[in-house]
Amino acid sequence: MKNRRAAGRGSRMRRRTSTFLGRVALGVLAALAGVGPVGCAGDETPDQVTLRVANWGSPAVESSFMALERQFLREFEQLHPGVRVQVEQIPGFGQYAPKLLMMHVSGSVPDVISLDASSGAAFMDNGVLRDLKPYIERDASFRLDDYFGNLVKIFRRGDKLYSIPLDFTPMMMYYNRKLFDAAGLPYPRPGWTWEDFRRTAGALTIRDPNPVRPPRQYGFNFINVMPFWVLWLWTNGADVLSPDGRKAGGHFDGPGSVEAVQFLTDLMLKDHVAPTLEESKAAGVDLFRSGQAAMDLKGHWMMIDYRADGIDFGVVDLPTNTGSPTTVVYLTGLSITSRARHPDLAWEYVKFMTGREVQIRRVASGLAISGNRHAAAHYAGNPVEDAFIAAVEYARPPWGATVERYPFIEGLGEEMLEDLLYSKGSLGVAAQLRRTAALIDAALSEP
Amino acid sequence: MIRPYRHNWRGYLFIAPATVYLALFAFFPMILAGWMSLHRWHLLKDEHPFVGLANFTAMTQDPFFRNAVKNTLAYAVFTVPLGVITSLAVAVLVSRPLRGVGFFRTLYYIPAVSSQVAISMVWIWILLPGEQGLINYCLGRLNAWLGADLPTSTNFLGRPGWAMAALVAMSLWIGLGPRMIIFLAGIQSIPETLYEAAALDGCGTWRRFWYVTLPLLGPTTLFVTVTTTIASFQLFTPVYMITHGGPRRTTDVVLYHIYKEAWQKFEIGMASAQSYVLFAMVLAAAALQLWVMRRGLTEQAE
């Protein structure tokens, strides 16, 4: 009796063990199969196609804009029965490009990706994307003239085109009208110079009675993000790299750059009309949004927050020493990957999302300006929007659109400025620029 | 009845999952990385020219890589002894049958099971300058109570020495739990009779610790030291999350440097070569410790 029970338990154990092993084996096989296309639709059948679309941002952040984006996807799916659009969001600042490039290498890259021109060179110059020219030539319903020529140009390589402009923003100077009124200052006007800016920022700074404490209000909000502060070089007629993008020596450490970085660090360390890095960190909030800084150099997307905060803001061209308006245009396009599984469907998606109707509804959120001229024109006629749209005519593309290692160079630049500011300027602007230019050249010269 | 070895095929089934896993995700990548380290291997280019040991020679000329090696060694030099001593001390404390000792053991172990990313976020908040940062806030309150004049705006993450010190402090706290558990197991396996004998010979608490606990924990200490050293060479997440290698590259450690080489410059070949150098560093450090401490242990046994 005792033995039989033991035997029975034994066989049950064995059965359990064998099913367990079977499951382990299945799991291993599944894992091996999954090494390929991660997140690829396993449920794909002849009459059910899944189009994979990559985007930045975090699925954890919910907003009315996200709801709108999902609405577009549903509309696209209704237009194309049997198609399911799967959006893959890639969160994390600076993670988007590396993750997608890794997916490209491993053969699991989505069909359509949002391309940030600032890291575009790595994609456009390495065969990650599909040339869209054949699609455009075949498709009578698509007109490339509908998009701003200055933006389309950024995505060209010879006669190949790698992306269709989705939306963009030039960087502009925002100002808080209420704080200007309180100080009795006129609003800044296009054509103002650095000297005007410095004076204005000084007049808008309100010191604390206790000199040890930081100012109660700053003239200008500064954060150490090179895509923003590189404009101080540009508006002084200087630049990070030579025009062909191959050399930093003689440019990043040239007299114009030295002057620009000196001016910038003086705003914080000498005039103290902008928060030091410590003060920004300690404040823990965006000082322009909290009404503690009167001016800020930002893009169109910040308008969503400013409006939500009820800030009465205006927008003006950047102060410049060159006599002509200068800014950068940060641009997003939609691209089809070279390893896309459904390129034709992907093209339909790109066309749909960049088309006039969708674009008008999409940019209503205030996120950016539409790359589609007709949709952008829809919002023309108010001074803020017009100031932004006017900038597209003279705005320059970011270096990252042509120089593959530019995101790395931006890291070096931010490191340099951080060192300078934390050292209270004692490291010397010219010396730091010379050192960093040499580092950039070393990074660029590696074959 | 013991069956001959060759008939025990079921045994292989049991180790198969682990073997397949290790082969695919550890050994194969290691061999591939070795192969890549001999090439100029851009992540996205189709051509991978063979360059022999050029990556390794270039590395020795690279001031930033040398700096990263220096930082890693500095981090290890502080983290390993401090980590071993603090966790041994805590293990001795929680090995006593005190009231609520289970609670404290759990408390010390919590960081080990928390996400390092979440921990990093908390530490950023602890270290911020001004009233936002917990440390500076507490100093400010102390000033208010005691009328003292302690500095309250220290930017721990912006000062070269402080940032590294912050990382070391953080690692002591994260690694405390696992090291403590191992020491605790070692302490509890020491026979009670030895302590009784020592007590009869007139040893006080301190001498019992010095002449009984510590020598018998020799193998445990060796294990903890070696694993702590390996872990300290692999510092990455807090650097990635908190300091980004700054300020002035004083926290740019080897693994973070490798990450940037691979994902910002796309130089997979160079990154692989640097990974092998890191591997050699870890191996050398572990071998040295094993050799030194084993000699100590055998001398003791004799």
Side-chain angles (χ1 to χ4, degrees), chain A residues 36-39 52 54 88 90 96-110 339, chain B residues 43 263:
Chain A
V38 179
R52 294 172 57 218
E88 294 169 26
I90 299 171
Y96 183 75
K99 172 96 195 255
L100 277 182
L101 294 171
M102 194 70 228
M103 286 171 109
H104 166 76
V105 172
S106 68
S108 62
V109 73
R339 295 180 178 171
Chain B
L43 179 67
W263 295 115

Side-chain angles (χ1 to χ4, degrees), chain B residues 194-212:
Chain B
L194 291 177
Y195 288 110
E196 283 167 17
L200 286 176
D201 283 345
C203 289
T205 317
W206 174 245
R207 287 179 149 222
R208 281 204 296 266
F209 173 75
W210 195 252
Y211 291 113
V212 180

